[in-house]
Amino acid sequence: MNDEINIQELPTEEILELMQEDLYDGLADEIVAEVKELLKRGLAPYEILSDGLIAGMDAVGDDFRDGILFVPEVLMAAKAMKAGMEVLRPLLAETGVEKTGTVVLGTVKGDIHDIGKNLVGMMLEGAGFEVVDLGTNTSADDFLAAIKEHNAHILGMSALLTTTMTYMRVVIEALKEAGLRERVTVLVGGAPLNDAFAEDIEADAYCRDAAIAVETAKKYMQIRKAE
Ligand code: B1M
């Protein structure tokens, strides 16, 4: 607990370090106060995300893998992360730019990890995309129905487990069968993926993080417009 710490007196670097510890300890109120303090100091929202929240979540992931943390603690950390992201959401999504295109986004079937996917959605909205977020545990049928209903330009799929990333191939095969594959750009992301996997399942691109997802989505929209 950092009850006695007055964050206003701490240098920015130390607040970022404290954020990583508080995220690890699942302290949502403290995370919210720290995010607000850093914004007051003029830090860019994306910097707070990567150097504070995501860095903290990386440490959680390492200790989860090594059996030091268990699901309840990781859930607390995820809750604290989401609380911090909620403060940043309007800033990441605030641009007022013209709609760039429509993205159907979801975490694939069998997988309930949604923090990275939510971040990608927020950043895409910030870049002017309309985002149809299908949530987690999304089946191929649900992806296809949403693509048709919203006339989507891009399908974004997220998977955090080696056991669920393979479902992306199932979705891409279903797109082909439905005659939709040429119509939609498929972008995939999530910690266990890489370029080779994306190529193997015939996705258009692998996106290592949310910023790259936005960059890649914009690039494909430009290619479409040029065609
Ligand atoms: Co899970 N979990 N988890 N977990 N969990 C991992 C993924 C794991 C790597 C932990 C570990 O062992 N080190 C491991 C997977 C191992 C593997 O498959 N090889 C694991 C495991 C094993 C499990 C369970 C099976 C544990 C169990 O029950 N025994 C279970 C599975 C449940 C299920 O899905 N069926 C499980 C459960 C959970 C919680 C529910 C407790 C919780 C999820 C809460 C939630 O999301 N609401 C959780 C968490 C939090 C994690 C870790 C610690 C953190 C994930 C995260 O949010 N990262 C994770 C360890 C890790 O990744 N280091 C772990 C922060 C986030 C911002 O990053 O999601 O990578 P990330 O997103 C990035 C990029 O990847 C990219 O951009 C994002 C932003 O920059 N990106 C995209 C992601 N999706 C994209 C989509 C795109 C583009 C880019 O579309 C265009």
Side-chain angles (χ1 to χ4, degrees):
M1 285 291 278
N2 57 314
D3 281 349
E4 313 78 25
I5 299 174
N6 182 356
I7 53 169
Q8 274 134 8
E9 287 170 3
L10 292 179
T12 297
E13 266 313 305
E14 280 182 35
I15 299 186
L16 283 167
E17 279 165 26
L18 184 64
M19 271 181 88
Q20 296 177 29
E21 286 168 26
D22 287 344
L23 192 100
Y24 188 97
D25 293 334
L27 303 176
D29 291 346
E30 283 78 353
I31 288 289
V32 167
E34 287 148 10
V35 170
K36 286 183 177 164
E37 176 62 23
L38 291 175
L39 285 172
K40 217 160 62 187
R41 293 184 190 195
L43 245 75
Y46 197 68
E47 209 177 326
I48 301 174
L49 255 178
S50 25
D51 299 350
L53 296 176
I54 294 180
M57 195 49 107
D58 282 345
V60 171
D62 290 346
D63 283 0
F64 188 30
R65 178 196 58 217
D66 297 340
I68 297 165
L69 289 182
F70 297 95
V71 170
E73 288 111 320
V74 181
L75 276 175
M76 292 288 287
K79 210 170 141 205
M81 172 115 187
K82 285 186 175 181
M85 276 163 60
E86 274 316 304
V87 181
L88 297 173
R89 177 187 285 274
L91 300 165
L92 291 170
E94 159 195 290
T95 55
V97 290
E98 231 180 276
K99 284 286 167 237
T100 329
T102 302
V103 182
V104 161
L105 184 66
T107 304
V108 297
K109 194 171 169 182
D111 200 321
I112 59 165
H113 295 86
D114 67 353
I115 295 173
K117 185 260 303 160
N118 293 348
L119 195 48
V120 170
M122 277 182 207
M123 302 267 301
L124 283 169
E125 278 175 11
F129 284 91
E130 186 179 333
V131 176
V132 180
D133 189 340
L134 302 180
T136 59
N137 194 24
T138 311
S139 69
D141 285 349
D142 289 346
F143 278 124
L144 260 63
I147 289 167
K148 284 186 207 151
E149 183 186 342
H150 300 278
N151 218 353
H153 306 97
I154 296 176
L155 166 64
M157 288 189 280
S158 181
L160 266 286
L161 300 171
T162 43
T163 49
T164 57
M165 60 196 258
T166 50
Y167 191 74
M168 290 175 167
R169 189 193 296 278
V170 175
V171 179
I172 291 175
E173 288 306 317
L175 280 173
K176 284 187 200 163
E177 271 168 38
L180 290 169
R181 181 63 188 95
E182 297 308 316
R183 216 181 84 182
V184 72
T185 298
V186 180
L187 305 183
V188 293
L193 279 65
N194 56 30
D195 286 316
F197 175 76
E199 199 180 321
D200 188 46
I201 62 170
E202 297 179 40
D204 291 290
Y206 158 67
C207 307
R208 197 182 63 233
D209 60 30
I212 291 176
V214 170
E215 216 173 86
T216 314
K218 281 184 179 167
K219 185 184 93 183
Y220 276 97
M221 286 310 293
Q222 270 166 4
I223 295 173
R224 277 169 173 276
K225 278 184 190 142
E227 282 168 356

